[in-house]
Amino acid sequence: MHRQQVLVRVASVMGARPWLAPLTLAVSALARLVLSFVTPTGLNMVDLRVYTYGAASLSRGALYTFTFAEMTPNFPLPFTYPPFAALVFFPLHWIPFTALAVLWQLATIGALWGVVRISMQLMLGERADEPVWRGATWMWTALAVWLEPVRTTLDYGQINVFLVFGVLLAARTSRWWLAGALVGVLAGIKLTPAVTGVYFLARRNLAAAAFSVVVFAGTVGLSFLVVGDAARTYFGELVGDASRIGPVGSAINQSLRGVLTRFAGHDVGTGPLWLIAVACAAVLCVLAWRGLDGEDRLGTMLVVQLFGLLVSPISWSHHWVWLVPALLWLVHGPLGSTLAARITAATWLVVLLVGVIQLLLLRQPTIWDLNPPVLASIGGAVYPAGVAVILGLMVGQRRLLRRSTLKQLQSVG
């Protein structure tokens, strides 16, 4: 069936039953909550515990000596975010943890809906308000709850979906000061959203880029003012220390450094091998950006954020929430009618639903294993390899579109 015919049929169903798509998301969210209560580790949410218990340790002056080991004896978890994040998280420790866990999951799913909604708006403009696309937003969100990066974000009680939502809000707004403020605050909570400044530069939004730096500097200044000792420890000793965050070589680390470490059998650090890989990724991303249409805001954002994930020392599988907008771009973006994009999207969907990284972790002797079998090392490169395919499609976008248009004309003729 032709893509346009599918859309017409879906629009008809959505028009006749507008409640169906929201109900699907409600059922998906409810199933997720039930799973949390009926599985033995469903409410562990260890990262959320680190956020809350670690932030509470501010009152004792122990933010960066605090660790949580009750549920992770192999690796006591420290508080690894900037001190401004602890100030933001501090009120959470007044909420009973079970109630906080439920609220956190519901808020995460709500933010996930926002991620899908804004992604659609960036691709489709005003068409995103049509019933078929509103319905698609609900349905995609219901599915995305079960994709590996989101699933593990919910398992750990992570903040990743909120960060992606905030960055996409910054991309959607036409107010430079709001865009800059959003990214500056998010970077103050976790450094990784700072890469969004490259997106502002690519879009020639110099005011937003500059203001994001100013706001981030404000979060640092506030940290020194309120919790000076913690700020001096973080920015003077800890920032950039990847070993403190976790095992670089574990299969869950899907950055270039993680992949190279598993193949080499030792941490490659930021040496020549890593630098060559980063240079190759940078060239591919520049070519992808040049291959995109100038008005493709979501595509441009994906190039920037995927590059950030690749070159970061550690990019846990749950950091890769940006794969949700990437899937949407493959299916509904400019290449949505091409066979190459459809095959890529279908492959990604299988990988993320199956949870390839979680399967590799089950076969991994320990999280500190730096020398896995060759096949496991190849499987452990699945995210960066898949990202390379997406970027390759962007590089060849114009050629793929010309070929697709030619085939359509030939079929009509």
Side-chain angles (χ1 to χ4, degrees):
M1 185 179 294
H2 193 273
R3 184 168 179 257
Q4 191 61 36
Q5 292 175 309
V6 172
L7 290 177
V8 170
R9 183 166 296 185
V10 171
S12 175
V13 172
M14 293 299 176
R17 301 176 181 85
W19 45 267
L20 182 60
L23 178 62
T24 302
L25 176 56
V27 170
S28 182
L30 180 61
R32 172 66 215 192
L33 287 176
V34 169
L35 191 66
S36 298
F37 282 95
V38 301
T39 55
T41 60
L43 286 178
N44 279 6
M45 300 181 74
V46 292
D47 286 336
L48 182 59
R49 292 179 189 270
V50 171
Y51 298 160
T52 54
Y53 303 162
S57 71
L58 271 177
S59 58
R60 306 190 304 273
L63 180 61
Y64 293 114
T65 56
F66 158 87
T67 58
F68 177 74
E70 182 180 335
M71 298 170 182
T72 57
N74 290 333
F75 180 53
L77 298 172
F79 190 93
T80 59
Y81 291 0
F84 178 74
L87 296 176
V88 173
F89 294 143
F90 187 80
L92 298 181
H93 81 278
W94 290 319
I95 306 173
F97 189 80
T98 300
L100 176 62
V102 171
L103 291 172
W104 191 270
Q105 291 190 68
L106 290 174
T108 299
I109 294 172
L112 181 63
W113 179 89
V115 167
V116 177
R117 171 71 172 153
I118 296 175
S119 297
M120 291 291 197
Q121 290 174 331
L122 292 178
M123 286 187 294
L124 305 172
E126 294 181 357
R127 291 172 56 212
D129 290 326
E130 296 173 3
V132 62
W133 296 114
R134 283 188 171 274
T137 297
W138 294 102
M139 300 296 282
W140 267 110
T141 308
L143 175 63
V145 168
W146 304 99
L147 301 181
E148 187 171 42
V150 178
R151 194 167 67 227
T152 51
T153 287
L154 291 166
D155 288 342
Y156 298 135
Q158 259 282 346
I159 196 174
N160 308 299
V161 174
F162 298 115
L163 298 179
V164 174
F165 177 51
V167 168
L168 286 173
L169 278 175
R172 186 183 66 177
T173 183
S174 59
R175 298 176 176 86
W176 62 267
W177 57 270
L178 180 56
L182 282 167
V183 171
V185 168
L186 293 176
I189 294 173
K190 187 175 183 179
L191 297 178
T192 49
V195 73
T196 309
V198 179
Y199 168 81
F200 290 146
L201 295 177
R203 300 291 304 174
R204 294 183 175 83
N205 193 347
L206 301 182
F211 196 55
S212 68
V213 175
V214 171
V215 173
F216 172 71
T219 68
V220 175
L222 180 64
S223 300
F224 274 96
L225 182 65
V226 180
V227 285
D229 289 342
R232 281 186 287 273
T233 299
Y234 181 82
F235 291 104
E237 303 172 21
L238 303 180
V239 66
D241 183 3
S243 63
R244 188 172 182 271
I245 299 174
V248 174
S250 174
I252 197 173
N253 180 18
Q254 287 293 295
S255 69
L256 291 175
R257 181 169 167 181
V259 170
L260 293 173
T261 292
R262 287 188 289 276
F263 277 109
H266 61 86
D267 185 1
V268 298
T270 54
L273 193 60
W274 179 82
L275 290 173
I276 292 171
V278 169
C280 291
V283 170
L284 183 58
C285 286
V286 169
L287 293 175
W289 172 60
R290 290 173 63 88
L292 293 172
D293 184 278
E295 297 305 311
D296 189 350
R297 289 189 290 169
L298 182 61
T300 304
M301 178 64 79
L302 286 171
V303 171
V304 171
Q305 300 297 336
L306 293 176
F307 177 73
L309 287 164
L310 289 172
V311 303
S312 176
I314 287 181
S315 294
W316 304 134
S317 61
H318 51 268
H319 292 165
W320 289 79
V321 174
W322 281 103
L323 291 174
V324 174
L327 262 177
L328 295 171
W329 185 88
L330 287 169
V331 175
H332 301 298
L335 291 177
S337 62
T338 66
L339 181 61
R342 292 177 185 177
I343 292 174
T344 303
T347 304
W348 264 117
L349 198 57
V350 171
V351 167
L352 297 179
L353 282 173
V354 170
V356 170
I357 305 305
Q358 293 301 305
L359 294 178
L360 289 171
L361 289 177
L362 292 174
R363 296 182 59 84
Q364 189 173 265
T366 73
I367 60 174
W368 305 104
D369 182 23
L370 295 182
N371 195 19
V374 173
L375 287 179
S377 296
I378 294 172
V382 61
Y383 282 17
V387 165
V389 173
I390 295 174
L391 294 173
L393 291 176
M394 292 176 171
V395 173
Q397 176 172 292
R398 292 184 178 88
R399 181 179 299 176
L400 287 168
L401 288 175
R402 283 197 299 268
R403 187 180 302 170
S404 177
T405 301
L406 181 60
K407 286 183 178 180
Q408 290 177 10
L409 291 174
Q410 290 173 343
S411 65
V412 171

